[in-house]
Amino acid sequence: MGKKSSFFLIGLALLAIFPLIRPPAYFLSFLFKMFLFIILAESWTLIGGFAGYLSFGHVAFFGIGAYTSSVLFQHFSLSPFIGALPAGGVAALVALIIGYPCLRLKGPYFAVITLCFAFVVDLIVKNWAFLGGSEGIHLKLVQMDIQSSRSIFYEIFLGLVAVTLLYVRRVQHSKFGMGLASIREDEEVAQTLTINTAAVKIKAFIMSAFFPGVAGGIYAYYISYIHPDIVFDINISILIVLMAVFGGGKSWAGPLLGAALLTVVNELLSLFVRPEIARVIYGAMFMGVIIFMPDGMVAFFSRRRRA
C-alpha cells in the first residue's frame, strides 16, 4: 500500500469517527455540504477536466436525481437511501439521450448547449403538476433528533465521496482515462489513433451524470423539501466548474482540493464579510489562479516541487 493510499484511508477513518464525539450539528452540516461539492466537482471532471468538454449544465443531473428519488418516495414509499440508485440511473439515462447530439459540439458551443439544457429541465419541472410544479415537493421525514439525523446523512455522503474519488482516480490512470486525455489534447489526432472518441465521450458523460444523480437523490431527503429553484440553481453548476478549475480539473486530486478549499472560503466569507465584498474577494481569487496557476493549484504545486 502506497503512502498516498495510507493517508487517504487514515483521513477517511478519522472523518468516519468524527460524529462519535458528538460535535455541534453545524459542523456536521458544514462537512455534509463540503462532501456534496466534492462529489459534484469530481464527477464533473470526468467530462470537463479529463475530456476538456466544459459542461455548465451539470446541476440538471443533480436536480433530476433529487426529483426522481422524491417521486419514488412520495408515490411508492421507496426510501430515498435506496431510491438514490435509480435516481442516478435516470440521470445517466438522460445523459445518454442528450449526450449523442450535444457531444458533437465543441468548445463554447457545448458549454452553451449544456447551460440551455439546465434551463429547459428547470422549466419542464416547474410546469409539470406530477412533479409538484412551482410549489415543489414536501417529504415527510422520520422523527429523530437532529444530531442523529445529521450523523446518518454525514456518514452516507462520506461513503459516496470515497466511492466517487476511487472511481475518478481509477479512470485517470486507466486506458479509458488516457483516451479522454487524448480527446482533450487533440480529438482529431485521437481519432487517427483508432480511439472511438464518440463512445469514450458518451461513457464519460454518463458516469459524470450518475454520481450527481445519486447525490441529488439523497440530498432531497436531507432538506425534506425540493423546489426547482433549489435543485436546478444554475449557480451550483457555475460553482462546480469553478471548484474543479481552481484545484485543477486534469487530475482527481484537483476537484477534491478545490471543492474543500472553496467551501471553507465561502463559509468564512458568508459569516464574516458583507456579500458584495465577498464577491470581490472571490473574483480576485479566481483571477489570481487563472493568471498564475492556469492548470489549477495541484499542477502548480506539482511543478514547483519537481523544480
Side-chain angles (χ1 to χ4, degrees):
M1 182 181 296
K3 185 181 294 186
K4 291 183 179 180
S5 299
S6 300
F7 284 137
F8 176 77
L9 292 176
I10 291 172
L12 192 65
L14 291 175
L15 287 171
I17 64 175
F18 179 65
L20 298 180
I21 66 175
R22 299 192 66 80
Y26 165 78
F27 292 105
L28 293 176
S29 299
F30 169 71
L31 288 173
F32 176 89
K33 181 180 178 182
M34 180 185 291
F35 295 160
L36 171 62
F37 279 113
I38 289 173
I39 294 165
L40 296 179
E42 286 287 346
S43 57
W44 177 90
T45 206
L46 287 169
I47 188 70
F50 292 173
Y53 275 71
L54 299 182
S55 169
F56 281 91
H58 254 58
V59 71
F61 302 123
F62 175 71
I64 288 170
Y67 268 92
T68 300
S69 176
S70 299
V71 168
L72 291 174
F73 176 72
Q74 189 178 48
H75 296 282
F76 303 100
S77 300
L78 184 65
S79 168
F81 298 127
I82 300 174
L85 288 177
V90 171
L93 178 60
V94 173
L96 173 64
I97 294 171
I98 70 164
Y100 276 108
C102 290
L103 287 169
R104 294 177 181 271
L105 303 174
K106 299 180 181 179
Y109 302 103
F110 178 77
V112 170
I113 197 67
T114 52
L115 184 63
C116 292
F117 165 67
F119 285 126
V120 168
V121 174
D122 179 38
L123 289 174
I124 291 174
V125 172
K126 282 182 178 178
N127 291 278
W128 195 351
F130 178 71
L131 298 177
S134 59
E135 295 182 1
I137 299 177
H138 290 271
L139 301 177
K140 185 178 181 181
L141 297 176
V142 177
Q143 296 298 320
M144 66 173 64
D145 64 280
I146 188 170
Q147 187 75 23
S148 300
S149 174
R150 292 292 183 264
S151 297
I152 292 172
F153 283 104
Y154 172 96
E155 297 289 0
I156 291 174
F157 254 52
L158 177 60
L160 186 55
V161 165
V163 172
T164 307
L165 286 172
L166 290 172
Y167 178 79
V168 176
R169 183 177 183 274
R170 182 179 179 183
V171 167
Q172 181 184 344
H173 299 289
S174 68
K175 182 179 178 181
F176 175 41
M178 293 175 64
L180 291 172
S182 300
I183 292 171
R184 181 186 67 229
E185 298 302 325
D186 195 318
E187 188 167 345
E188 293 181 358
V189 172
Q191 290 175 339
T192 63
L193 297 174
T194 68
I195 295 175
N196 188 345
T197 56
V200 171
K201 288 187 298 183
I202 196 67
K203 180 180 177 181
F205 197 53
I206 289 171
M207 293 311 301
S208 73
F210 174 76
F211 291 108
V214 174
I218 300 173
Y219 183 76
Y221 197 42
Y222 176 80
I223 61 175
S224 75
Y225 169 71
I226 61 169
H227 187 275
D229 290 342
I230 298 175
V231 296
F232 293 109
D233 185 1
I234 200 62
N235 290 322
I236 297 176
S237 267
I238 296 172
L239 193 56
I240 294 169
V241 177
L242 293 179
M243 285 177 170
V245 172
F246 188 86
K250 295 180 181 180
S251 72
W252 69 272
L256 171 62
L257 176 63
L261 185 59
L262 290 185
T263 302
V264 173
V265 170
N266 186 53
E267 190 73 12
L268 292 175
L269 291 178
S270 64
L271 289 175
F272 301 109
V273 179
R274 292 167 58 185
E276 56 271 21
I277 298 176
R279 285 193 288 269
V280 172
I281 295 173
Y282 227 39
M285 288 176 57
F286 286 112
M287 288 175 62
V289 170
I290 292 171
I291 294 171
F292 299 106
M293 296 179 286
D295 293 327
M297 296 182 66
V298 170
F300 175 79
F301 288 119
S302 295
R303 287 195 298 267
R304 289 290 298 271
R305 186 177 60 182
R306 287 195 297 266

